[in-house]
Amino acid sequence: MTMLLAWLATYTIHSSALLIAAWLLHRTVVRAPAARDVLWRAALVGGLLTASLQTMLSWRPLGGVVPVSRVQTVAPIREVAPLSVRAPSRVDQAVARPAPAAVSVRRAAPAALPWRLMSVALWAATAAGLLIRLVARRRRLSRELGPREPVSHPEVIALANRLGREAGLGGALQLTRVSGTMSPMALGAREICLPAVALDVPVEELEALLAHEVAHLARRDPLWLGGLNLLECVAFFQPLNRFGRRRLMEAAEYLCDDWVVERTGSGRPLAGCLVRVAEWIDTARRPLPVVGMAEHRSQLVARIHRLLEDRGMTIRPKKTWMLLGAVGLLATTVVVAPAVVVRRPQAPTVSETSNTPKSEKMLLTKLSSTLARVQHEVIRQVADTTHAAIIAALIEALKDEDVQVRRAAAQSLGNREDRRAVPALAQALKDPDTEVRMHAIEALASFEDPRAIDGLIAALRDESAEVREHAAEGLSHFDKEPRAADALASRLDDSSPEVRAKVAQALVEFHDNRAIPALMKSLSDRDAETRQQAVRGLTELKATSALPAIMDRAADENADVRQSVAHALGELQANQAVPALKKMLEDPSSDVREAAIEALSEIRDRAAIDVLVVALKAKDPNVRRRAAAALGER
């Protein structure tokens, strides 16, 4: 039992070291999918091998050992009764043996259940439960797939068998079709399971699909996945196994894609097939323990990128170097990684307890705590007194004749955020210096004190446009006050475009539908920033009634406005905007084109998917990549 716990602990240390090292190499040095494949296989299985080698060889690694004592069973000690003393006889006197002393030994208390036994029992119960759940998931997969019928198309069977022979799989493959899944899958050692709709795709895409699944069978990926699922159940205490398994499956997908490109000569048929499969799998469901062609949508995007950019084939490092690197990694782990070993228990030692009285120590502790509280209170009172004096001095400085002093005082009061300064700062809004008034507005906005609202509303009519702009931004902090929203709406016709833009932006903070008419009016403002803020504001307010007005700005002369319009149409999920977004894919601005792709990905309509598929053939490579990513997310 102790040996099993020691091995499990050693495995945890070694597997963690291997998987973390594999992740670091994956991120920094190892780039080729083939090398990553070997790296993650070694990291996932290596912990089992290195832990067993250290345990069998009793190797003392450079990282040291962590000893664990065996459980020692102590037999109970009998109670020995005192011997009776009789009158000594002549023989006793002759021998003159001393009388034996009375011995009293307490019986040992019954031993509690050892923690090692409880740990092993808990591990075994958890592993058994996870294995049962894995079996249940397999049965659920069988039920969801339904009956697997053999594929009856002779040309499809011949194509699959030809690809199997090219991959080194002797004999005929088992080709089945089901209606319970929309993703092709490689099952077991020789079976390819296809959705019924896969038989209706173009021939070149069907060949790419079959070649990809044949590559999975040639690599034994279904068997590896099954074994790793078992390992995750038994070694559930190592969460990094799941991470490593996912990285291994990612490398497998890239290598299978490379094999397809090597056989077909191009990555575009496979990319089109992946997009088609992604369209089939439009509803999310729980992942199943099988090797699917497009189950992982995030990786699907990267795969489509590689294939569309003709990067399906990569330079593969030599297998000899990859194997030597994996062996070197495992050997280093055996030599360096720490191990948990079992040692025999030592005889217990008796330690004498000290009877030193603790009253003096307790008194010192209480005294120290009391002194600390007194010191803290004194410091706090002094600080409060000092702070109050500073605030009073700064308030008085707001009336100083020197403008630089008044500016510094207003800014300092804002930084200290003391509400006692609100009346003085409100009075400073009438200061003849523009900068003093702006600092006072910023300070009042940071306090969010209702007493400041009247002063900020009055500042909306200040002679300085910069002050009015600051006042509009300051009022946005009072989004619970209706009179602040009314005051802002009355300034949408301000003579300054910067003020109008800031007012429109501030109105959005109130989430008040009364701002919609004012924002719609701002869509026609002569200032581009104001129009852009109006589009964003209507979007945040979910103003679907403003969709026609927003779509009219799709041809705005300013690229930033057009980009905001594209984002708005996507967030509002306007199905009627698909034609306008399709036209925006040809916009002169790359930012507008990418925003249009993003908007199309958010619209749940078949017409939007059709436009994204067409965008895969666009001249702009950024548009193609964005379209592939959008389809992958779908």
Side-chain angles (χ1 to χ4, degrees):
M1 183 187 308
T2 307
M3 183 69 72
L4 175 60
L5 285 178
W7 184 89
L8 290 174
T10 303
Y11 165 75
T12 304
I13 296 172
H14 288 200
S15 59
S16 299
L18 286 169
L19 290 167
I20 292 174
W23 177 76
L24 292 174
L25 293 172
H26 177 103
R27 292 292 300 271
T28 57
V29 179
V30 181
R31 299 296 183 186
R36 288 180 173 179
D37 179 70
V38 175
L39 175 65
W40 285 111
R41 290 187 190 223
L44 287 165
V45 182
L48 301 172
L49 299 176
T50 58
S52 300
L53 283 174
Q54 279 193 353
T55 303
M56 290 186 301
L57 300 177
S58 299
W59 177 265
R60 185 178 182 85
L62 298 178
V65 296
V66 180
V68 177
S69 300
R70 289 184 182 274
V71 181
Q72 185 179 20
T73 304
V74 180
I77 303 175
R78 294 184 299 104
E79 185 86 14
V80 181
L83 300 178
S84 60
V85 182
R86 58 181 175 83
S89 63
R90 293 181 178 179
V91 177
D92 294 333
Q93 294 175 357
V95 177
R97 293 181 178 175
V103 180
S104 177
V105 182
R106 290 179 298 176
R107 185 179 301 274
L113 189 63
W115 66 269
R116 295 172 180 82
L117 177 59
M118 295 178 62
S119 301
V120 172
L122 180 62
W123 165 74
T126 306
L130 293 175
L131 289 171
I132 293 173
R133 189 183 70 168
L134 179 62
V135 173
R137 292 177 66 196
R138 288 283 182 176
R139 291 183 177 179
R140 178 173 63 85
L141 170 62
S142 299
R143 291 194 302 270
E144 290 185 0
L145 290 179
R148 300 204 294 270
E149 301 176 356
V151 174
S152 57
H153 297 67
E155 62 277 6
V156 177
I157 297 174
L159 177 60
N161 290 332
R162 176 178 65 81
L163 292 170
R165 289 191 298 271
E166 293 179 1
L169 297 173
L173 298 178
Q174 184 181 1
L175 208 60
T176 59
R177 65 176 181 177
V178 292
S179 58
T181 183
M182 303 305 291
S183 175
M185 296 179 294
L187 301 175
R190 307 188 63 80
E191 181 180 356
I192 298 177
C193 184
L194 302 175
V197 294
L199 300 175
D200 299 329
V201 302
V203 177
E204 59 178 6
E205 292 188 7
L206 180 61
E207 181 179 3
L209 184 153
L210 290 173
H212 184 88
E213 300 305 325
V214 166
H216 276 305
L217 293 179
R219 288 173 36 83
R220 304 292 188 265
D221 286 332
L223 302 181
W224 268 90
L225 180 59
L228 293 177
N229 284 328
L230 291 176
L231 177 62
E232 290 177 20
C233 293
V234 176
F236 59 88
F237 47 85
Q238 177 52 279
L240 294 178
N241 280 335
R242 176 173 296 184
F243 176 80
R245 186 250 302 168
R246 290 176 178 174
R247 301 290 83 76
L248 178 61
M249 291 299 105
E250 286 180 4
E253 294 297 337
Y254 288 130
L255 290 174
C256 292
D257 289 347
D258 291 348
W259 193 83
V260 174
V261 174
E262 184 179 355
R263 293 300 181 276
T264 60
S266 173
R268 296 189 177 275
L270 181 57
C273 182
L274 288 173
V275 172
R276 194 180 299 275
V277 173
E279 293 178 12
W280 296 340
I281 310 173
D282 195 23
T283 56
R285 56 189 175 91
R286 291 180 294 175
L288 299 175
V290 293
V291 179
M293 185 176 188
E295 290 291 341
H296 303 288
R297 292 163 176 77
S298 59
Q299 189 194 8
L300 176 64
V301 175
R303 291 168 59 193
I304 294 177
H305 286 175
R306 294 177 77 239
L307 295 168
L308 288 178
E309 299 299 327
D310 293 328
R311 292 186 289 113
M313 287 300 298
T314 57
I315 299 176
R316 300 184 181 181
K318 294 183 178 180
K319 292 184 178 180
T320 304
W321 290 110
M322 292 190 296
L323 293 177
L324 288 177
V327 172
L329 181 62
L330 297 183
T332 303
T333 304
V334 174
V335 175
V336 177
V340 179
V341 298
V342 180
R343 72 176 183 183
R344 296 185 179 276
Q346 298 178 352
T349 59
V350 180
S351 60
E352 297 182 357
T353 59
S354 173
N355 296 322
T356 304
K358 300 180 180 180
S359 58
E360 183 178 352
K361 183 177 180 180
M362 294 175 61
L363 179 60
L364 290 174
T365 302
K366 291 182 179 180
L367 181 60
S368 175
S369 177
T370 303
L371 289 174
R373 289 197 300 269
V374 171
Q375 183 182 16
H376 175 74
E377 183 66 21
V378 170
I379 293 175
R380 186 185 65 81
Q381 292 180 4
V382 172
D384 289 345
T385 303
T386 306
H387 182 73
I390 292 175
I391 295 299
L394 290 174
I395 291 176
E396 188 64 25
L398 285 175
K399 306 174 184 178
D400 196 274
E401 297 180 356
D402 190 344
V403 66
Q404 298 295 336
V405 174
R406 298 199 305 275
R407 291 176 181 176
Q411 189 173 14
S412 297
L413 285 172
N415 294 334
R416 291 183 176 274
E417 298 184 0
D418 193 309
R419 295 180 182 273
R420 289 174 289 188
V422 170
L425 288 169
Q427 188 66 27
L429 294 176
K430 301 176 183 179
D431 194 279
D433 182 70
T434 301
E435 192 169 343
V436 172
R437 299 198 299 272
M438 287 192 297
H439 284 318
I441 290 174
E442 293 174 359
L444 290 171
S446 64
F447 296 156
E448 298 184 8
D449 192 309
R451 294 176 294 172
I453 294 179
D454 292 335
L456 293 175
I457 291 177
L460 284 175
R461 294 175 174 81
D462 194 276
E463 60 181 10
S464 169
E466 197 171 2
V467 173
R468 298 197 301 272
E469 186 178 349
H470 276 69
E473 184 176 1
L475 283 172
S476 66
H477 293 266
F478 299 90
D479 54 353
K480 305 298 182 183
E481 298 289 339
R483 54 184 177 142
D486 295 338
L488 286 168
S490 66
R491 299 306 303 173
L492 282 169
D493 57 351
D494 195 278
S495 58
S496 169
E498 290 80 8
V499 175
R500 294 196 301 270
K502 190 63 67 175
V503 168
Q505 181 181 2
L507 280 172
V508 178
E509 301 293 333
F510 289 84
H511 300 283
D512 191 337
N513 289 335
R514 292 182 302 172
I516 293 178
L519 291 172
M520 291 182 63
K521 182 180 178 181
S522 298
L523 288 175
S524 303
D525 195 276
R526 58 182 178 272
D527 180 65
E529 185 177 357
T530 303
R531 299 196 300 272
Q532 185 179 13
Q533 294 295 346
V535 172
R536 292 176 178 175
L538 291 169
T539 305
E540 292 187 23
L541 293 174
K542 305 296 181 184
T544 54
S545 60
L547 270 175
I550 294 176
M551 292 174 58
D552 289 342
R553 307 314 308 176
D556 195 279
E557 60 184 11
N558 185 272
D560 293 335
V561 176
R562 298 197 301 273
Q563 183 180 2
S564 297
V565 168
H567 286 306
L569 296 177
E571 291 187 23
L572 296 176
Q573 297 186 0
N575 295 343
Q576 63 269 35
V578 172
L581 290 170
K582 181 179 179 180
K583 188 175 181 180
M584 295 178 78
L585 293 178
E586 301 176 358
D587 195 276
S589 171
S590 61
D591 293 335
V592 175
R593 296 195 297 267
E594 293 176 7
I597 289 290
E598 184 178 349
L600 288 167
S601 68
E602 296 176 0
I603 297 177
R604 297 297 173 181
D605 187 76
R606 179 67 191 182
I609 296 180
D610 293 338
V611 174
L612 289 173
V613 172
V614 173
L616 290 174
K617 303 177 182 178
K619 297 179 180 179
D620 186 357
N622 290 329
V623 172
R624 296 199 301 269
R625 284 194 291 269
R626 292 278 183 172
L631 289 170
E633 293 173 0
R634 293 297 298 268

